Amino acid sequence: HWRPVSASTAMLELFGRANSINVRKVLWLADELDLALVHHGGDGTPLDRSELLALNPNALIPVIRDDGRVLWESNTICRYLAAREGRTDLLPAEPMPRARVEQWMDWQATELNDAWRYAFMATVRRSPAHTDATAITASVQAWNHAMGILERQIRSAGGPYVLGTGFTVADIVLGLSVHRWFAAPIERPVLPAVSDYYAILSERPAFLRHGRNGMP
Protein backbone atom coordinates (compact mmCIF):
# COMPACT_ATOMS: atom_id res chain seq x y z
CA HIS A 1 0.00 0.00 0.00
CA TRP A 2 0.90 3.68 -0.27
CA ARG A 3 3.56 4.65 2.20
CA PRO A 4 5.27 7.94 3.05
CA VAL A 5 9.05 7.68 2.97
CA SER A 6 12.01 9.93 3.55
CA ALA A 7 13.26 12.28 0.87
CA SER A 8 16.45 10.27 0.56
CA THR A 9 14.61 7.15 -0.64
CA ALA A 10 11.91 8.52 -2.96
CA MET A 11 11.94 10.87 -5.92
CA LEU A 12 8.20 11.54 -5.92
CA GLU A 13 7.14 14.39 -3.62
CA LEU A 14 3.66 15.66 -2.78
CA PHE A 15 3.02 19.11 -1.34
CA GLY A 16 -0.23 19.87 0.49
CA ARG A 17 -2.15 19.27 3.70
CA ALA A 18 -3.89 15.90 4.00
CA ASN A 19 -7.33 17.38 4.74
CA SER A 20 -7.54 19.01 1.30
CA ILE A 21 -9.96 17.16 -0.99
CA ASN A 22 -7.62 17.74 -3.91
CA VAL A 23 -4.58 16.43 -2.05
CA ARG A 24 -6.61 13.40 -1.04
CA LYS A 25 -7.16 12.57 -4.72
CA VAL A 26 -3.41 12.17 -5.11
CA LEU A 27 -3.03 10.28 -1.84
CA TRP A 28 -5.78 7.83 -2.75
CA LEU A 29 -4.37 7.22 -6.23
CA ALA A 30 -0.82 6.83 -4.90
CA ASP A 31 -2.18 4.20 -2.52
CA GLU A 32 -3.95 2.36 -5.35
CA LEU A 33 -0.70 2.47 -7.35
CA ASP A 34 1.42 1.39 -4.37
CA LEU A 35 3.65 4.43 -4.82
CA ALA A 36 6.10 5.62 -2.21
CA LEU A 37 6.19 9.37 -1.86
CA VAL A 38 7.44 12.16 0.36
CA HIS A 39 4.44 14.11 1.65
CA HIS A 40 5.31 17.68 2.60
CA GLY A 41 2.60 19.07 4.86
CA GLY A 42 1.11 15.67 5.54
CA ASP A 43 1.67 16.09 9.26
CA GLY A 44 -0.29 19.33 9.30
CA THR A 45 2.77 21.59 9.17
CA PRO A 46 1.92 24.60 6.96
CA LEU A 47 3.88 24.86 3.76
CA ASP A 48 6.12 27.84 3.28
CA ARG A 49 4.20 30.16 0.97
CA SER A 50 7.27 31.38 -0.87
CA GLU A 51 8.29 27.78 -1.57
CA LEU A 52 4.77 26.96 -2.74
CA LEU A 53 4.71 29.99 -5.03
CA ALA A 54 7.99 28.87 -6.53
CA LEU A 55 6.35 25.54 -7.38
CA ASN A 56 2.92 26.81 -8.43
CA PRO A 57 2.28 30.44 -9.41
CA ASN A 58 -1.29 30.04 -8.10
CA ALA A 59 0.05 29.06 -4.64
CA LEU A 60 -2.48 26.22 -4.55
CA ILE A 61 -2.18 22.57 -3.57
CA PRO A 62 -1.55 19.84 -4.48
CA VAL A 63 1.76 20.03 -6.24
CA ILE A 64 4.01 17.10 -7.05
CA ARG A 65 7.69 17.05 -7.87
CA ASP A 66 8.75 13.93 -9.72
CA ASP A 67 12.53 13.66 -9.99
CA GLY A 68 12.72 17.45 -9.99
CA ARG A 69 9.87 18.00 -12.48
CA VAL A 70 6.92 19.97 -11.08
CA LEU A 71 3.26 19.44 -11.85
CA TRP A 72 0.12 21.01 -10.38
CA GLU A 73 -3.69 20.73 -10.76
CA SER A 74 -5.00 17.68 -8.92
CA ASN A 75 -6.79 15.96 -11.81
CA THR A 76 -3.81 16.48 -14.10
CA ILE A 77 -1.55 14.96 -11.44
CA CYS A 78 -3.85 11.94 -11.21
CA ARG A 79 -3.85 11.45 -14.97
CA TYR A 80 -0.09 11.77 -15.03
CA LEU A 81 0.52 9.23 -12.27
CA ALA A 82 -1.84 6.65 -13.77
CA ALA A 83 -0.18 7.05 -17.18
CA ARG A 84 3.29 7.04 -15.64
CA GLU A 85 2.58 3.66 -14.09
CA GLY A 86 1.06 2.28 -17.28
CA ARG A 87 -2.28 1.68 -15.58
CA THR A 88 -4.56 1.59 -18.59
CA ASP A 89 -7.24 0.03 -16.39
CA LEU A 90 -7.40 3.32 -14.48
CA LEU A 91 -6.82 5.59 -17.49
CA PRO A 92 -7.38 3.90 -20.87
CA ALA A 93 -4.92 4.37 -23.70
CA GLU A 94 -7.55 4.44 -26.46
CA PRO A 95 -8.74 7.98 -27.25
CA MET A 96 -12.49 7.62 -26.69
CA PRO A 97 -12.42 5.50 -23.51
CA ARG A 98 -9.76 7.84 -22.10
CA ALA A 99 -11.79 10.90 -23.05
CA ARG A 100 -14.82 9.51 -21.23
CA VAL A 101 -12.77 9.11 -18.05
CA GLU A 102 -11.38 12.62 -18.45
CA GLN A 103 -14.84 14.02 -19.20
CA TRP A 104 -16.12 12.96 -15.77
CA MET A 105 -12.94 14.13 -14.08
CA ASP A 106 -13.35 17.54 -15.68
CA TRP A 107 -17.04 17.63 -14.78
CA GLN A 108 -16.09 17.05 -11.15
CA ALA A 109 -13.59 19.92 -11.26
CA THR A 110 -16.00 22.35 -12.91
CA GLU A 111 -19.75 21.76 -12.73
CA LEU A 112 -19.84 19.70 -9.54
CA ASN A 113 -17.33 21.82 -7.62
CA ASP A 114 -19.08 25.02 -8.63
CA ALA A 115 -22.40 23.61 -7.42
CA TRP A 116 -21.36 22.62 -3.90
CA ARG A 117 -18.82 25.31 -3.08
CA TYR A 118 -21.06 27.90 -1.37
CA ALA A 119 -23.17 25.38 0.57
CA PHE A 120 -20.10 23.47 1.71
CA MET A 121 -18.30 26.58 2.88
CA ALA A 122 -21.41 27.66 4.77
CA THR A 123 -22.51 24.39 6.37
CA VAL A 124 -19.24 22.53 6.91
CA ARG A 125 -16.50 25.15 7.05
CA ARG A 126 -18.80 27.69 8.76
CA SER A 127 -17.18 30.45 6.73
CA PRO A 128 -18.27 33.95 7.82
CA ALA A 129 -18.11 34.97 4.16
CA HIS A 130 -20.75 32.40 3.20
CA THR A 131 -23.84 33.18 5.28
CA ASP A 132 -26.38 34.31 2.68
CA ALA A 133 -29.39 32.03 3.13
CA THR A 134 -30.58 32.43 -0.46
CA ALA A 135 -27.15 31.58 -1.83
CA ILE A 136 -26.91 28.54 0.46
CA THR A 137 -30.29 27.26 -0.72
CA ALA A 138 -29.34 27.80 -4.37
CA SER A 139 -26.04 25.99 -3.88
CA VAL A 140 -27.72 23.02 -2.19
CA GLN A 141 -30.21 22.79 -5.05
CA ALA A 142 -27.43 22.97 -7.64
CA TRP A 143 -25.43 20.37 -5.72
CA ASN A 144 -28.35 17.95 -5.57
CA HIS A 145 -29.07 18.54 -9.26
CA ALA A 146 -25.46 17.66 -10.11
CA MET A 147 -25.66 14.52 -8.01
CA GLY A 148 -28.79 13.61 -9.95
CA ILE A 149 -26.71 13.78 -13.12
CA LEU A 150 -24.22 11.41 -11.54
CA GLU A 151 -27.07 9.08 -10.52
CA ARG A 152 -28.28 8.87 -14.11
CA GLN A 153 -24.76 8.30 -15.42
CA ILE A 154 -24.09 5.38 -13.06
CA ARG A 155 -27.43 3.83 -14.02
CA SER A 156 -26.90 4.28 -17.76
CA ALA A 157 -23.36 2.86 -17.58
CA GLY A 158 -24.67 -0.22 -15.80
CA GLY A 159 -22.59 0.44 -12.67
CA PRO A 160 -21.23 -0.13 -10.20
CA TYR A 161 -18.71 2.56 -11.17
CA VAL A 162 -19.12 5.82 -13.07
CA LEU A 163 -18.17 4.26 -16.39
CA GLY A 164 -19.46 0.76 -15.81
CA THR A 165 -17.75 -2.30 -14.39
CA GLY A 166 -14.20 -0.92 -14.23
CA PHE A 167 -12.77 1.31 -11.51
CA THR A 168 -10.97 4.31 -13.05
CA VAL A 169 -9.32 7.56 -12.04
CA ALA A 170 -12.70 9.23 -12.55
CA ASP A 171 -14.00 7.26 -9.58
CA ILE A 172 -11.26 8.65 -7.37
CA VAL A 173 -12.07 12.28 -8.01
CA LEU A 174 -15.83 11.70 -7.98
CA GLY A 175 -15.73 9.37 -4.99
CA LEU A 176 -14.27 12.10 -2.81
CA SER A 177 -17.02 14.47 -3.93
CA VAL A 178 -19.67 11.84 -3.18
CA HIS A 179 -18.26 11.45 0.32
CA ARG A 180 -18.48 15.20 0.77
CA TRP A 181 -22.13 15.17 -0.33
CA PHE A 182 -23.06 12.45 2.15
CA ALA A 183 -21.07 14.07 4.96
CA ALA A 184 -22.46 17.60 4.56
CA PRO A 185 -25.41 18.58 6.80
CA ILE A 186 -27.81 19.34 3.94
CA GLU A 187 -31.13 18.03 2.68
CA ARG A 188 -30.44 15.31 0.10
CA PRO A 189 -32.70 13.36 -2.27
CA VAL A 190 -32.57 9.57 -2.22
CA LEU A 191 -30.26 8.49 -5.04
CA PRO A 192 -29.99 4.68 -4.97
CA ALA A 193 -27.24 4.32 -7.58
CA VAL A 194 -25.10 6.95 -5.85
CA SER A 195 -25.67 5.21 -2.51
CA ASP A 196 -24.60 1.88 -4.00
CA TYR A 197 -21.60 3.60 -5.58
CA TYR A 198 -20.56 5.04 -2.23
CA ALA A 199 -20.88 1.58 -0.66
CA ILE A 200 -18.72 -0.17 -3.25
CA LEU A 201 -16.07 2.53 -3.07
CA SER A 202 -16.05 1.99 0.69
CA GLU A 203 -14.89 -1.58 0.10
CA ARG A 204 -11.57 -0.18 -1.17
CA PRO A 205 -9.04 0.19 1.68
CA ALA A 206 -7.38 3.16 -0.03
CA PHE A 207 -10.69 5.06 -0.07
CA LEU A 208 -11.18 4.39 3.63
CA ARG A 209 -7.67 5.68 4.36
CA HIS A 210 -7.77 8.79 2.21
CA GLY A 211 -11.42 9.49 1.41
CA ARG A 212 -14.03 8.17 3.81
CA ASN A 213 -11.89 8.97 6.82
CA GLY A 214 -14.07 11.50 8.58
CA MET A 215 -12.93 14.52 6.59
CA PRO A 216 -15.57 15.95 4.28
Side-chain angles (χ1 to χ4, degrees):
H1 300 300
W2 168 87
R3 56 213 180 274
V5 296
S6 68
S8 62
T9 58
M11 302 303 293
L12 181 61
E13 300 169 89
L14 169 64
F15 297 80
R17 64 189 186 279
N19 66 346
S20 159
I21 190 173
N22 290 325
V23 172
R24 281 183 280 152
K25 294 175 186 177
V26 182
L27 289 170
W28 180 3
L29 178 59
D31 199 335
E32 296 280 354
L33 296 173
D34 195 26
L35 292 178
L37 53 78
V38 178
H39 187 184
H40 303 283
D43 60 357
T45 303
L47 297 174
D48 180 83
R49 182 172 174 80
S50 61
E51 180 182 9
L52 185 58
L53 271 170
L55 295 169
N56 180 355
N58 304 292
L60 295 174
I61 54 173
V63 178
I64 64 166
R65 186 161 56 198
D66 185 11
D67 198 17
R69 298 165 298 181
V70 174
L71 198 63
W72 37 270
E73 290 296 331
S74 59
N75 286 0
T76 297
I77 292 169
C78 288
R79 286 190 283 260
Y80 166 72
L81 291 177
R84 172 186 183 261
E85 298 302 303
R87 290 292 299 271
T88 55
D89 57 324
L90 296 176
L91 185 66
E94 290 298 311
M96 183 54 75
R98 176 170 176 145
R100 289 196 175 109
V101 170
E102 294 182 328
Q103 168 185 275
W104 286 100
M105 294 176 75
D106 291 344
W107 179 80
Q108 181 273 337
T110 55
E111 303 300 323
L112 184 53
N113 277 6
D114 285 346
W116 59 248
R117 185 169 289 110
Y118 198 98
F120 177 80
M121 293 301 295
T123 63
V124 177
R125 294 287 188 253
R126 301 292 182 183
S127 165
H130 298 79
T131 57
D132 184 276
T134 300
I136 294 170
T137 298
S139 180
V140 170
Q141 290 174 346
W143 195 355
N144 288 336
H145 173 75
M147 295 302 292
I149 292 174
L150 182 60
E151 170 82 6
R152 292 190 291 276
Q153 168 58 25
I154 295 169
R155 286 178 176 273
S156 66
Y161 298 109
V162 171
L163 290 161
T165 58
F167 176 81
T168 70
V169 180
D171 295 299
I172 289 178
V173 304
L174 287 165
L176 289 165
S177 293
V178 168
H179 171 64
R180 177 162 283 189
W181 185 66
F182 277 110
I186 61 170
E187 293 290 329
R188 287 179 296 276
V190 175
L191 300 178
V194 171
S195 295
D196 290 346
Y197 177 58
Y198 191 41
I200 198 167
L201 289 178
S202 298
E203 296 176 4
R204 306 185 76 90
F207 178 55
L208 297 180
R209 282 189 286 268
H210 307 292
R212 191 171 181 173
N213 56 355
M215 295 187 295

